[in-house]
Amino acid sequence: MHSMTGFGRGSATADEGSATVEIACVNRKQAEVVIQAPRELTELEPKIRKAVLNTISRGRIQVSIQFDSPANAAAPVKVDLRLVDGLEGAFEQISDRCGRNVLLEAADFLRAPGIIRIEDSGVTPDAAWGVIERALEVAIEQVLAMRSAEGDDLARDLAGRLDQLEGTAAAIARLAPARPERYRELLTKRLRDAGLDLDLQDERVLRELAVFADRCDISEEVTRLDSHFRKFRDYMAGREPAGRPLDFLCQEIHREFNTIGSKASDAAIAQHVVEAKTELEKIREQVQNVE
């Protein structure tokens, strides 16, 4: 089981240049990859996104990429010769118009827009991808290691809290069978207090007791809780991302405890239900961190 929180940093160097990749992950219900890379490497974003999503299925993943060309690489300077010819022709026309020689100096070429252009990088995206990919793999490995370590901590915490929930459910199951008998005693007392001397074998009394016993029967809910608990542990021990199914099971467990509380009509059981829902809320908060 993995956490959704993690950080990784990878670097690689080759003839094409050097790359540094940083990945930071935080909680999010869906997978979202945000990439920050030099403009000239924008076309690599689909490859980067695919590499990340092949290993991380959930969370907001921020990928930052820095790429530097080799120190001895030639400066990527481009000269537009057509503009050079045009500028020289313009100065010749100025000289003819003024009747004197107007000189064209080096600064004029620098000031004229578009004649000299400095490109962003001398390396093509395809050439840069090899070194970026290696740095990206290192960063992803570090992220997965951190997410796995935090996932182990989450698993231990969730397992302990699930033990408490199972203990609470077991206590409720022990109390439930005695509930109809307590209701029989309460009904008898009320009848006597009201001055009604009815035989407990009277058909009306028996029907009332039967209806109550059926209404407060929580055996199905207890059975479903046991099933949910087992499934919860199966997902925690599995190799697939467990965050979404665990979140769903938390909702189902909450539903079963709610039903028990409304059906049982018993103070002791109601107290256990409150304790269970309080612990379950802590579990749900932790599950929001699970991938």
Side-chain angles (χ1 to χ4, degrees), residues 169-185 209 212-214 216-220 222 260 263-264 266 268-269:
I172 291 173
R174 289 191 297 269
L175 290 172
R179 183 62 184 135
E181 181 58 32
R182 289 198 297 274
Y183 183 73
R184 176 193 290 270
E185 295 172 357
L209 292 174
F212 177 80
D214 182 67
C216 71
D217 180 22
I218 59 172
S219 57
E220 291 184 11
V222 171
I260 289 173
K263 290 176 67 174
D266 180 84
I269 291 178

Side-chain angles (χ1 to χ4, degrees), residues 52-128:
V52 170
L53 294 179
N54 279 341
T55 53
I56 300 175
S57 64
R58 196 176 181 211
R60 188 180 190 276
I61 306 114
Q62 178 82 38
V63 183
S64 300
I65 296 177
Q66 178 182 342
F67 184 83
D68 297 314
S69 298
N72 59 354
V77 178
K78 302 293 183 181
V79 178
D80 192 325
L81 297 179
R82 291 179 304 173
L83 290 179
V84 170
D85 294 339
L87 187 61
E88 285 185 329
F91 268 77
E92 290 176 358
Q93 293 180 39
I94 293 173
S95 298
D96 292 341
R97 182 69 174 179
C98 295
R100 61 184 177 85
N101 190 21
V102 179
L103 298 178
L104 179 62
E105 298 180 352
D108 297 318
F109 291 103
L110 295 176
R111 285 195 291 265
I115 290 183
I116 298 177
R117 301 191 311 275
I118 300 177
E119 302 292 337
D120 293 327
S121 173
V123 180
T124 65
D126 287 340

